[in-house]
Amino acid sequence: MPASGDEDDDEVLEPPDTGSGSEGCHCLEFDSWWNEGNTRRFVYIRYNISEGAFQMAIDEDSNLYHVPVAYGARSGEPAGVWDLHVGAELDILGRMTTLQHCSVTTAQWNKYWADRLQVRHKRLVDELRKYDTRKNAPWLTFQRNSTEAGSVDLRMLMGQIQSLGEQLREYRPRLAAKLALPKEMLDIEEMPKQKQQQPVGPGLS
């Protein structure tokens, strides 16, 4: 392997592939509930990753209803693939809903990307300590302590990595670029927009 100015730039950043990664995961699935008076309504929520669309079923109804958009309860912004995890609070059809449980494949998806991001996050924090003795803002190293499957806040991790990477860029730009967010994550987030832009017409296949 050719030598570089940063000897440790070529270290492997990814955790071992456990075979339960992002491949083949097309929808994220969650269970939740809300209260209507004295009645608890149970809700099944499914998010189509490629289309960026939500579907939901209430109680024992086997029909899935299309929900064009759900919003982050705190941000007020449309929720996307990286905003969805167990514990996330959403505004769905005007009702504040906390995602309570997820499917096995959704938990595997969450863990796969969390593992990849946490490797980068730790490396960024460790590298910055060598060059900058100032204490990081608390939110840059904050992690929710939850043992619930599928509960890692990927959006928060992404924001932490971007901010830490900007700091490291002042000292080691090449390493900062290597520790940036995986390109696949950005591509996945753009999938719904790309699908909407695809032309549809006769003769296209």
Side-chain angles (χ1 to χ4, degrees), residues 12-178:
V12 175
L13 293 174
E14 312 304 346
D17 187 359
T18 60
S20 61
S22 62
E23 307 283 327
C25 186
H26 304 292
C27 293
L28 305 181
E29 299 173 297
F30 299 90
D31 292 319
S32 186
W33 61 76
W34 61 58
N35 293 320
E36 293 181 5
N38 295 324
T39 304
R40 173 165 285 187
R41 309 297 298 273
F42 291 90
V43 185
Y44 165 77
I45 299 166
R46 183 165 73 184
Y47 178 81
N48 186 301
I49 294 170
S50 64
E51 296 178 1
F54 290 85
Q55 291 178 305
M56 64 185 294
I58 300 176
D59 292 336
E60 301 301 321
D61 191 343
S62 60
N63 294 314
L64 279 173
Y65 298 95
H66 177 73
V67 179
V69 64
Y71 299 92
R74 296 181 183 179
S75 68
E77 297 292 326
V81 59
W82 306 123
D83 300 301
L84 305 178
H85 59 90
V86 171
E89 298 177 347
L90 301 180
D91 176 348
I92 302 178
L93 300 177
R95 295 185 180 276
M96 294 301 174
T97 306
T98 301
L99 303 181
Q100 301 289 352
H101 306 288
C102 68
S103 66
V104 172
T105 53
T106 299
Q108 290 173 341
W109 164 277
N110 182 265
K111 183 180 186 305
Y112 172 82
W113 292 109
D115 287 348
R116 292 189 66 178
L117 291 179
Q118 285 164 351
V119 169
R120 284 167 158 75
H121 183 273
K122 183 179 185 305
R123 180 75 182 279
L124 284 164
V125 171
D126 291 345
E127 290 295 332
L128 273 170
R129 287 199 187 106
K130 300 176 184 177
Y131 303 99
D132 195 337
T133 57
R134 292 173 299 176
K135 192 172 182 180
N136 283 316
W139 81 272
L140 288 174
T141 53
F142 175 78
Q143 301 291 327
R144 285 181 63 220
N145 293 321
S146 174
T147 57
E148 185 81 24
S151 63
V152 178
D153 186 338
L154 298 176
R155 179 70 71 188
M156 182 178 69
L157 256 177
M158 292 168 76
Q160 291 171 337
I161 287 170
Q162 287 175 315
S163 294
L164 292 167
E166 288 171 6
Q167 294 180 39
L168 185 62
R169 195 171 296 119
E170 297 179 26
Y171 309 101
R172 298 186 63 184
R174 288 183 59 200
L175 182 57
K178 186 176 180 65

